[in-house]
Amino acid sequence: MKYYLLIIFMFSMTCFAQKTTVYCIGDSTMANKKDPENNPEHGWAQVLQSFFTANIVIENKALNGRSTKSFINEKRWDSVCKKLKKGDYVFIEFGHNDEKIEDSTRYTNPHTSYRYNLIRFVKESREKGAIPILLTSIARRNFNEKGVLVPTHGDYPLETRLVAQEYKVPFIDLEYYTELLEQSYGPEKSKLLHLHFKEGENPFYKTAKDDDTHLSLKGATEIAQIVVNQIKISENPLLEKLQKGIK
C-alpha cells in the first residue's frame, strides 16, 4: 500500500511541478506565422518547442515588422513583462526593423535608443526574477558576385554584444552562427533556407518570391537548432534549467 501511495505522490509532484516559460520577443524572423500548414514562411522560435520537453514552455511573442521601439510603444513589452515570474527566460532578438531609417515609428539609433531599449528589456526582466538572453539578428542571405556573404545589420549586432558584455547577460551571437550557416550552404543552395519560388511553384504565393531575409521551415529549424546547441554547450549556470529541458 505504501508503495502505491509513494507512486501516486511522485506522479502528483511531477504533474504539478512548475513549468519554466521562455518568452520570445523580436521580429518576423522569430515570429509565428499564420496558416503554418500551408505557409512556407516560419519564424525560428515558431519551431523551438519541438526541441524541448514539456517542462519548458515556449511563448513566442515576437511579431512581424517590430523593432525595439515599436514593440515597446505598442505596449507589447508591458504585456510580456506583467506575466514574467521568477525563473522564466526572455529571448531577445531585434535589429532588422530598428534599421529602417525611413520609418520614424520603428527606427532606432543603434548607439542610443536601440542600446537603451535592450538595457530596459534586461533590467525589467531581472526585476521580475526572469533571466534575459540576448541574441544578435540572424544574417540575411546577401552574397555578392564573388560569393562573399556581405553583412547588412550595421552596428546593431555590435551594440547587442556590448550590452550583453556590460550587463553580464547570457548571449548567443546568432548573426555569427547564421553567417556560418549561410556560407556552409553557399550562394545557391542557401536559397533553401529562405523563400525562393518561381511564379506558380508554390500555391501560397500568387507571384514569384525572392526573399533573402525570412525563413523557410528548413531555415527556421536550422536556426532553432543553432540556438539549442549554443544553450547546450554554454557554461553559464543561468542556463542550467534550459539545458535540462532539451530533448
mmCIF file with all atom_site columns, all heavy atoms in Angstrom, residues 17 30 44 95 100 123 129 137-138 148-149 160 182 210 213 241 246:
data_model
loop_
_atom_site.group_PDB
_atom_site.id
_atom_site.type_symbol
_atom_site.label_atom_id
_atom_site.label_alt_id
_atom_site.label_comp_id
_atom_site.label_asym_id
_atom_site.label_entity_id
_atom_site.label_seq_id
_atom_site.pdbx_PDB_ins_code
_atom_site.Cartn_x
_atom_site.Cartn_y
_atom_site.Cartn_z
_atom_site.occupancy
_atom_site.B_iso_or_equiv
_atom_site.pdbx_formal_charge
_atom_site.auth_seq_id
_atom_site.auth_comp_id
_atom_site.auth_asym_id
_atom_site.auth_atom_id
_atom_site.pdbx_PDB_model_num
ATOM 1   N N   . ALA A 1 17  ? 4.450  20.113 -10.944 1.00 0.00 ? 17  ALA A N   1
ATOM 2   C CA  . ALA A 1 17  ? 5.712  20.854 -10.939 1.00 0.00 ? 17  ALA A CA  1
ATOM 3   C C   . ALA A 1 17  ? 5.586  22.095 -11.808 1.00 0.00 ? 17  ALA A C   1
ATOM 4   O O   . ALA A 1 17  ? 5.005  22.055 -12.888 1.00 0.00 ? 17  ALA A O   1
ATOM 5   C CB  . ALA A 1 17  ? 6.829  19.967 -11.461 1.00 0.00 ? 17  ALA A CB  1
ATOM 6   N N   . MET A 1 30  ? 11.628 35.648 -36.149 1.00 0.00 ? 30  MET A N   1
ATOM 7   C CA  . MET A 1 30  ? 11.404 34.847 -34.942 1.00 0.00 ? 30  MET A CA  1
ATOM 8   C C   . MET A 1 30  ? 9.938  34.444 -34.781 1.00 0.00 ? 30  MET A C   1
ATOM 9   O O   . MET A 1 30  ? 9.621  33.445 -34.141 1.00 0.00 ? 30  MET A O   1
ATOM 10  C CB  . MET A 1 30  ? 11.842 35.697 -33.739 1.00 0.00 ? 30  MET A CB  1
ATOM 11  C CG  . MET A 1 30  ? 12.052 34.992 -32.430 1.00 0.00 ? 30  MET A CG  1
ATOM 12  S SD  . MET A 1 30  ? 12.356 36.249 -31.136 1.00 0.00 ? 30  MET A SD  1
ATOM 13  C CE  . MET A 1 30  ? 13.486 35.369 -30.074 1.00 0.00 ? 30  MET A CE  1
ATOM 14  N N   . TRP A 1 44  ? 11.977 31.247 -36.526 1.00 0.00 ? 44  TRP A N   1
ATOM 15  C CA  . TRP A 1 44  ? 12.730 30.171 -35.873 1.00 0.00 ? 44  TRP A CA  1
ATOM 16  C C   . TRP A 1 44  ? 12.177 29.828 -34.496 1.00 0.00 ? 44  TRP A C   1
ATOM 17  O O   . TRP A 1 44  ? 12.242 28.655 -34.081 1.00 0.00 ? 44  TRP A O   1
ATOM 18  C CB  . TRP A 1 44  ? 14.222 30.476 -35.829 1.00 0.00 ? 44  TRP A CB  1
ATOM 19  C CG  . TRP A 1 44  ? 14.660 31.645 -34.997 1.00 0.00 ? 44  TRP A CG  1
ATOM 20  C CD1 . TRP A 1 44  ? 14.955 32.903 -35.436 1.00 0.00 ? 44  TRP A CD1 1
ATOM 21  C CD2 . TRP A 1 44  ? 14.896 31.658 -33.588 1.00 0.00 ? 44  TRP A CD2 1
ATOM 22  N NE1 . TRP A 1 44  ? 15.344 33.702 -34.391 1.00 0.00 ? 44  TRP A NE1 1
ATOM 23  C CE2 . TRP A 1 44  ? 15.324 32.959 -33.251 1.00 0.00 ? 44  TRP A CE2 1
ATOM 24  C CE3 . TRP A 1 44  ? 14.795 30.693 -32.587 1.00 0.00 ? 44  TRP A CE3 1
ATOM 25  C CZ2 . TRP A 1 44  ? 15.639 33.327 -31.936 1.00 0.00 ? 44  TRP A CZ2 1
ATOM 26  C CZ3 . TRP A 1 44  ? 15.104 31.051 -31.271 1.00 0.00 ? 44  TRP A CZ3 1
ATOM 27  C CH2 . TRP A 1 44  ? 15.526 32.352 -30.953 1.00 0.00 ? 44  TRP A CH2 1
ATOM 28  N N   . GLY A 1 95  ? 16.512 44.062 -34.358 1.00 0.00 ? 95  GLY A N   1
ATOM 29  C CA  . GLY A 1 95  ? 17.523 44.706 -35.192 1.00 0.00 ? 95  GLY A CA  1
ATOM 30  C C   . GLY A 1 95  ? 17.077 44.938 -36.619 1.00 0.00 ? 95  GLY A C   1
ATOM 31  O O   . GLY A 1 95  ? 17.298 46.018 -37.168 1.00 0.00 ? 95  GLY A O   1
ATOM 32  N N   . LYS A 1 100 ? 15.370 50.531 -39.988 1.00 0.00 ? 100 LYS A N   1
ATOM 33  C CA  . LYS A 1 100 ? 14.578 51.171 -41.047 1.00 0.00 ? 100 LYS A CA  1
ATOM 34  C C   . LYS A 1 100 ? 14.485 52.683 -40.822 1.00 0.00 ? 100 LYS A C   1
ATOM 35  O O   . LYS A 1 100 ? 13.515 53.201 -40.270 1.00 0.00 ? 100 LYS A O   1
ATOM 36  C CB  . LYS A 1 100 ? 13.211 50.509 -41.137 1.00 0.00 ? 100 LYS A CB  1
ATOM 37  C CG  . LYS A 1 100 ? 13.376 49.032 -41.506 1.00 0.00 ? 100 LYS A CG  1
ATOM 38  C CD  . LYS A 1 100 ? 12.123 48.365 -41.968 1.00 0.00 ? 100 LYS A CD  1
ATOM 39  C CE  . LYS A 1 100 ? 12.435 46.968 -42.500 1.00 0.00 ? 100 LYS A CE  1
ATOM 40  N NZ  . LYS A 1 100 ? 11.246 46.200 -42.858 1.00 0.00 ? 100 LYS A NZ  1
ATOM 41  N N   . LYS A 1 123 ? 16.919 44.823 -17.717 1.00 0.00 ? 123 LYS A N   1
ATOM 42  C CA  . LYS A 1 123 ? 16.688 45.241 -16.334 1.00 0.00 ? 123 LYS A CA  1
ATOM 43  C C   . LYS A 1 123 ? 15.291 44.858 -15.849 1.00 0.00 ? 123 LYS A C   1
ATOM 44  O O   . LYS A 1 123 ? 15.119 44.362 -14.724 1.00 0.00 ? 123 LYS A O   1
ATOM 45  C CB  . LYS A 1 123 ? 16.887 46.755 -16.210 1.00 0.00 ? 123 LYS A CB  1
ATOM 46  C CG  . LYS A 1 123 ? 18.339 47.194 -16.258 1.00 0.00 ? 123 LYS A CG  1
ATOM 47  C CD  . LYS A 1 123 ? 18.463 48.691 -16.001 1.00 0.00 ? 123 LYS A CD  1
ATOM 48  C CE  . LYS A 1 123 ? 19.911 49.111 -15.859 1.00 0.00 ? 123 LYS A CE  1
ATOM 49  N NZ  . LYS A 1 123 ? 20.029 50.577 -15.601 1.00 0.00 ? 123 LYS A NZ  1
ATOM 50  N N   . GLY A 1 129 ? 12.587 38.665 -11.736 1.00 0.00 ? 129 GLY A N   1
ATOM 51  C CA  . GLY A 1 129 ? 13.216 37.391 -11.423 1.00 0.00 ? 129 GLY A CA  1
ATOM 52  C C   . GLY A 1 129 ? 13.432 36.505 -12.629 1.00 0.00 ? 129 GLY A C   1
ATOM 53  O O   . GLY A 1 129 ? 13.829 35.340 -12.498 1.00 0.00 ? 129 GLY A O   1
ATOM 54  N N   . SER A 1 137 ? 20.865 39.676 -34.430 1.00 0.00 ? 137 SER A N   1
ATOM 55  C CA  . SER A 1 137 ? 19.956 39.392 -35.543 1.00 0.00 ? 137 SER A CA  1
ATOM 56  C C   . SER A 1 137 ? 20.531 38.300 -36.437 1.00 0.00 ? 137 SER A C   1
ATOM 57  O O   . SER A 1 137 ? 21.743 38.220 -36.638 1.00 0.00 ? 137 SER A O   1
ATOM 58  C CB  . SER A 1 137 ? 19.748 40.647 -36.387 1.00 0.00 ? 137 SER A CB  1
ATOM 59  O OG  . SER A 1 137 ? 19.201 41.685 -35.626 1.00 0.00 ? 137 SER A OG  1
ATOM 60  N N   . ILE A 1 138 ? 19.649 37.487 -37.012 1.00 0.00 ? 138 ILE A N   1
ATOM 61  C CA  . ILE A 1 138 ? 20.120 36.495 -37.975 1.00 0.00 ? 138 ILE A CA  1
ATOM 62  C C   . ILE A 1 138 ? 20.633 37.209 -39.223 1.00 0.00 ? 138 ILE A C   1
ATOM 63  O O   . ILE A 1 138 ? 20.177 38.286 -39.588 1.00 0.00 ? 138 ILE A O   1
ATOM 64  C CB  . ILE A 1 138 ? 19.025 35.476 -38.346 1.00 0.00 ? 138 ILE A CB  1
ATOM 65  C CG1 . ILE A 1 138 ? 17.883 36.137 -39.133 1.00 0.00 ? 138 ILE A CG1 1
ATOM 66  C CG2 . ILE A 1 138 ? 18.504 34.765 -37.112 1.00 0.00 ? 138 ILE A CG2 1
ATOM 67  C CD1 . ILE A 1 138 ? 16.917 35.144 -39.761 1.00 0.00 ? 138 ILE A CD1 1
ATOM 68  N N   . VAL A 1 148 ? 30.814 36.250 -51.682 1.00 0.00 ? 148 VAL A N   1
ATOM 69  C CA  . VAL A 1 148 ? 31.101 36.676 -50.309 1.00 0.00 ? 148 VAL A CA  1
ATOM 70  C C   . VAL A 1 148 ? 29.800 37.104 -49.645 1.00 0.00 ? 148 VAL A C   1
ATOM 71  O O   . VAL A 1 148 ? 29.026 37.887 -50.208 1.00 0.00 ? 148 VAL A O   1
ATOM 72  C CB  . VAL A 1 148 ? 32.104 37.850 -50.299 1.00 0.00 ? 148 VAL A CB  1
ATOM 73  C CG1 . VAL A 1 148 ? 32.315 38.364 -48.882 1.00 0.00 ? 148 VAL A CG1 1
ATOM 74  C CG2 . VAL A 1 148 ? 33.423 37.422 -50.916 1.00 0.00 ? 148 VAL A CG2 1
ATOM 75  N N   . LEU A 1 149 ? 29.553 36.588 -48.442 1.00 0.00 ? 149 LEU A N   1
ATOM 76  C CA  . LEU A 1 149 ? 28.363 36.987 -47.690 1.00 0.00 ? 149 LEU A CA  1
ATOM 77  C C   . LEU A 1 149 ? 28.619 38.350 -47.045 1.00 0.00 ? 149 LEU A C   1
ATOM 78  O O   . LEU A 1 149 ? 29.487 38.493 -46.184 1.00 0.00 ? 149 LEU A O   1
ATOM 79  C CB  . LEU A 1 149 ? 28.043 35.944 -46.620 1.00 0.00 ? 149 LEU A CB  1
ATOM 80  C CG  . LEU A 1 149 ? 26.724 36.151 -45.871 1.00 0.00 ? 149 LEU A CG  1
ATOM 81  C CD1 . LEU A 1 149 ? 25.531 35.930 -46.790 1.00 0.00 ? 149 LEU A CD1 1
ATOM 82  C CD2 . LEU A 1 149 ? 26.636 35.216 -44.664 1.00 0.00 ? 149 LEU A CD2 1
ATOM 83  N N   . THR A 1 160 ? 24.355 44.950 -29.388 1.00 0.00 ? 160 THR A N   1
ATOM 84  C CA  . THR A 1 160 ? 23.819 43.811 -28.640 1.00 0.00 ? 160 THR A CA  1
ATOM 85  C C   . THR A 1 160 ? 24.938 43.097 -27.893 1.00 0.00 ? 160 THR A C   1
ATOM 86  O O   . THR A 1 160 ? 24.793 42.739 -26.714 1.00 0.00 ? 160 THR A O   1
ATOM 87  C CB  . THR A 1 160 ? 23.114 42.825 -29.595 1.00 0.00 ? 160 THR A CB  1
ATOM 88  O OG1 . THR A 1 160 ? 22.143 43.522 -30.367 1.00 0.00 ? 160 THR A OG1 1
ATOM 89  C CG2 . THR A 1 160 ? 22.422 41.710 -28.811 1.00 0.00 ? 160 THR A CG2 1
ATOM 90  N N   . GLU A 1 182 ? 24.758 30.160 -43.601 1.00 0.00 ? 182 GLU A N   1
ATOM 91  C CA  . GLU A 1 182 ? 24.585 30.601 -44.989 1.00 0.00 ? 182 GLU A CA  1
ATOM 92  C C   . GLU A 1 182 ? 25.782 30.203 -45.839 1.00 0.00 ? 182 GLU A C   1
ATOM 93  O O   . GLU A 1 182 ? 25.632 29.701 -46.960 1.00 0.00 ? 182 GLU A O   1
ATOM 94  C CB  . GLU A 1 182 ? 24.396 32.124 -45.045 1.00 0.00 ? 182 GLU A CB  1
ATOM 95  C CG  . GLU A 1 182 ? 23.188 32.672 -44.291 1.00 0.00 ? 182 GLU A CG  1
ATOM 96  C CD  . GLU A 1 182 ? 21.878 32.505 -45.039 1.00 0.00 ? 182 GLU A CD  1
ATOM 97  O OE1 . GLU A 1 182 ? 21.891 32.067 -46.210 1.00 0.00 ? 182 GLU A OE1 1
ATOM 98  O OE2 . GLU A 1 182 ? 20.834 32.814 -44.448 1.00 0.00 ? 182 GLU A OE2 1
ATOM 99  N N   . ASP A 1 210 ? 11.200 36.084 -53.982 1.00 0.00 ? 210 ASP A N   1
ATOM 100 C CA  . ASP A 1 210 ? 12.646 36.092 -53.775 1.00 0.00 ? 210 ASP A CA  1
ATOM 101 C C   . ASP A 1 210 ? 12.934 36.858 -52.490 1.00 0.00 ? 210 ASP A C   1
ATOM 102 O O   . ASP A 1 210 ? 13.150 38.069 -52.518 1.00 0.00 ? 210 ASP A O   1
ATOM 103 C CB  . ASP A 1 210 ? 13.367 36.751 -54.957 1.00 0.00 ? 210 ASP A CB  1
ATOM 104 C CG  . ASP A 1 210 ? 13.271 35.918 -56.222 1.00 0.00 ? 210 ASP A CG  1
ATOM 105 O OD1 . ASP A 1 210 ? 13.872 34.836 -56.253 1.00 0.00 ? 210 ASP A OD1 1
ATOM 106 O OD2 . ASP A 1 210 ? 12.574 36.346 -57.166 1.00 0.00 ? 210 ASP A OD2 1
ATOM 107 N N   . THR A 1 213 ? 15.545 37.388 -46.480 1.00 0.00 ? 213 THR A N   1
ATOM 108 C CA  . THR A 1 213 ? 15.533 37.723 -45.057 1.00 0.00 ? 213 THR A CA  1
ATOM 109 C C   . THR A 1 213 ? 14.768 36.688 -44.248 1.00 0.00 ? 213 THR A C   1
ATOM 110 O O   . THR A 1 213 ? 15.244 36.182 -43.234 1.00 0.00 ? 213 THR A O   1
ATOM 111 C CB  . THR A 1 213 ? 14.906 39.112 -44.828 1.00 0.00 ? 213 THR A CB  1
ATOM 112 O OG1 . THR A 1 213 ? 15.700 40.102 -45.471 1.00 0.00 ? 213 THR A OG1 1
ATOM 113 C CG2 . THR A 1 213 ? 14.810 39.438 -43.338 1.00 0.00 ? 213 THR A CG2 1
ATOM 114 N N   . LYS A 1 241 ? 18.596 25.257 -16.253 1.00 0.00 ? 241 LYS A N   1
ATOM 115 C CA  . LYS A 1 241 ? 17.226 24.730 -16.401 1.00 0.00 ? 241 LYS A CA  1
ATOM 116 C C   . LYS A 1 241 ? 16.871 24.470 -17.855 1.00 0.00 ? 241 LYS A C   1
ATOM 117 O O   . LYS A 1 241 ? 16.228 23.470 -18.165 1.00 0.00 ? 241 LYS A O   1
ATOM 118 C CB  . LYS A 1 241 ? 16.190 25.709 -15.799 1.00 0.00 ? 241 LYS A CB  1
ATOM 119 C CG  . LYS A 1 241 ? 16.021 25.573 -14.299 1.00 0.00 ? 241 LYS A CG  1
ATOM 120 C CD  . LYS A 1 241 ? 14.741 26.221 -13.823 1.00 0.00 ? 241 LYS A CD  1
ATOM 121 C CE  . LYS A 1 241 ? 14.677 27.685 -14.135 1.00 0.00 ? 241 LYS A CE  1
ATOM 122 N NZ  . LYS A 1 241 ? 13.425 28.315 -13.641 1.00 0.00 ? 241 LYS A NZ  1
ATOM 123 N N   . ILE A 1 246 ? 16.259 20.242 -22.624 1.00 0.00 ? 246 ILE A N   1
ATOM 124 C CA  . ILE A 1 246 ? 16.491 19.908 -24.037 1.00 0.00 ? 246 ILE A CA  1
ATOM 125 C C   . ILE A 1 246 ? 16.283 18.404 -24.244 1.00 0.00 ? 246 ILE A C   1
ATOM 126 O O   . ILE A 1 246 ? 16.757 17.591 -23.460 1.00 0.00 ? 246 ILE A O   1
ATOM 127 C CB  . ILE A 1 246 ? 17.922 20.312 -24.456 1.00 0.00 ? 246 ILE A CB  1
ATOM 128 C CG1 . ILE A 1 246 ? 18.086 21.830 -24.391 1.00 0.00 ? 246 ILE A CG1 1
ATOM 129 C CG2 . ILE A 1 246 ? 18.247 19.811 -25.862 1.00 0.00 ? 246 ILE A CG2 1
ATOM 130 C CD1 . ILE A 1 246 ? 19.505 22.315 -24.586 1.00 0.00 ? 246 ILE A CD1 1
#
